[in-house]
Amino acid sequence: MKVLVVGANGQVGKHLVKKIQDTEGLQAKAMIRKEEQASYFKDLGAEPVVVDLEGTPDEITKATEGVDAVVFTAGSGPNTGPDKTMLIDLDGAVKTIEAAKSAGVKRYVMISSFDTTREAIQEAPSSFSPYVAAKHYADDWLRRTDLDYTIIHPGMLTNDEGTGQIEAAEKVERGEIPREDVASAILASLQQESTIGKEFQIVGGSKSVHDAVKDL
Ligand code: NAP
């Protein structure tokens, strides 16, 4: 299975590309936005493709052609304003969903935010609410497609070493999770068709990632 990782140069993205490359039968196409980021992925044996999420839908569709699954783990990050939140976390995400449809790629895994309900938009501090709104509508766009989607809602991401142990359910207590374990949960979702059509929250826990995802 060839997987397009959107946001491959990000912190979760890099863990994910490595895990994909280390898994037999899986291969990563790493979507990055700068040519100078390509050598890292070539060294892993992955196929880099340089496309900016602010680019045209056609450019994103072209990058999506020939893969079997798309994972969206890009994000505008905390150091830009609501303008980039709109253009990357919402419009960028929607363009990749539409690209998957146009390219005939059925499988799509979205890395969302922990809580993207309407209530969460209302309750978020004003500095955070545009991001929650962007994620809310990107998730909603995906749910309204006929893609084989999975929406993963991770808790607060940390750079701690992965433990391989998580808690996963439709609703879990808010908590932290190492980025490496998020990457493992994405991989487990890609490998287990039972996650198609499901969405769930994940935080650090006490079940192996494989079992936590299998038991959803
Ligand atoms: P990250 O390290 O900030 O990585 C984001 C990636 O998106 C970067 O590689 C960045 O590219 C890429 N990107 C930004 N703008 C782009 C554009 N215009 N075109 C193409 N790529 C672009 O993110 P992370 O910490 O791994 O988070 C992964 C996901 O989890 C994100 O979707 C985030 O919203 C979500 N999330 C975060 C938290 C949290 O606690 N932080 C919690 C739940 C969910 P460059 O490398 O070139 O900058």
Side-chain angles (χ1 to χ4, degrees):
M1 183 197 299
K2 194 166 184 177
V3 183
L4 179 70
V5 179
V6 180
N9 195 58
Q11 300 167 91
V12 170
K14 278 186 163 167
H15 282 296
L16 179 62
V17 171
K18 177 140 197 350
K19 284 179 191 297
I20 288 173
Q21 290 304 119
D22 287 346
T23 305
E24 211 180 304
L26 291 186
Q27 212 212 327
K29 186 170 184 183
M31 189 169 139
I32 50 178
R33 58 174 163 168
K34 294 180 194 124
E35 194 62 59
E36 59 264 33
Q37 296 165 344
S39 61
Y40 174 88
F41 297 99
K42 282 186 191 152
D43 289 348
L44 288 175
E47 179 194 347
V49 58
V50 181
V51 180
D52 196 305
L53 280 170
E54 292 188 58
T56 66
D58 280 355
E59 288 165 344
I60 297 170
T61 300
K62 203 158 164 273
T64 309
E65 280 164 0
V67 304
D68 304 292
V70 174
V71 175
F72 185 90
T73 183
S76 59
N79 301 320
T80 55
D83 51 346
K84 294 295 180 192
T85 303
M86 166 73 96
L87 291 171
I88 308 304
D89 303 283
L90 177 51
D91 192 44
V94 168
K95 280 190 283 191
T96 63
I97 295 166
E98 291 302 299
K101 284 162 60 180
S102 302
V105 180
K106 285 291 275 179
R107 188 78 174 104
Y108 190 106
V109 178
M110 171 69 88
I111 309 311
S112 184
S113 182
F114 185 71
D115 185 351
T116 58
T117 55
R118 160 128 307 279
E119 296 71 35
I121 303 174
Q122 303 308 137
E123 287 161 13
S126 61
S127 59
F128 194 58
S129 54
Y131 170 74
V132 181
K135 290 298 221 184
H136 170 87
Y137 286 105
D139 290 353
D140 204 46
W141 194 281
L142 180 57
R143 279 184 211 111
R144 290 166 193 260
T145 68
D146 64 356
L147 295 179
D148 291 341
Y149 71 80
T150 302
I151 303 176
I152 303 179
H153 297 274
M156 171 87 78
L157 305 183
T158 74
N159 287 329
D160 295 346
E161 201 178 319
T163 64
Q165 308 269 306
I166 62 167
E167 187 185 351
E170 214 171 300
K171 280 253 154 260
V172 303
E173 281 278 306
R174 201 174 270 276
E176 295 185 344
I177 181 165
R179 287 180 166 87
E180 191 182 350
D181 289 335
V182 174
S184 298
I186 297 168
L187 189 69
S189 299
L190 288 167
Q191 292 173 314
Q192 299 187 49
E193 287 195 357
S194 56
T195 59
I196 289 173
K198 289 195 180 149
E199 58 184 291
F200 49 92
Q201 296 179 327
I202 51 172
V203 293
S206 56
K207 247 191 201 179
S208 76
V209 173
H210 177 272
D211 286 356
V213 169
K214 179 170 67 68
D215 294 345
L216 281 163

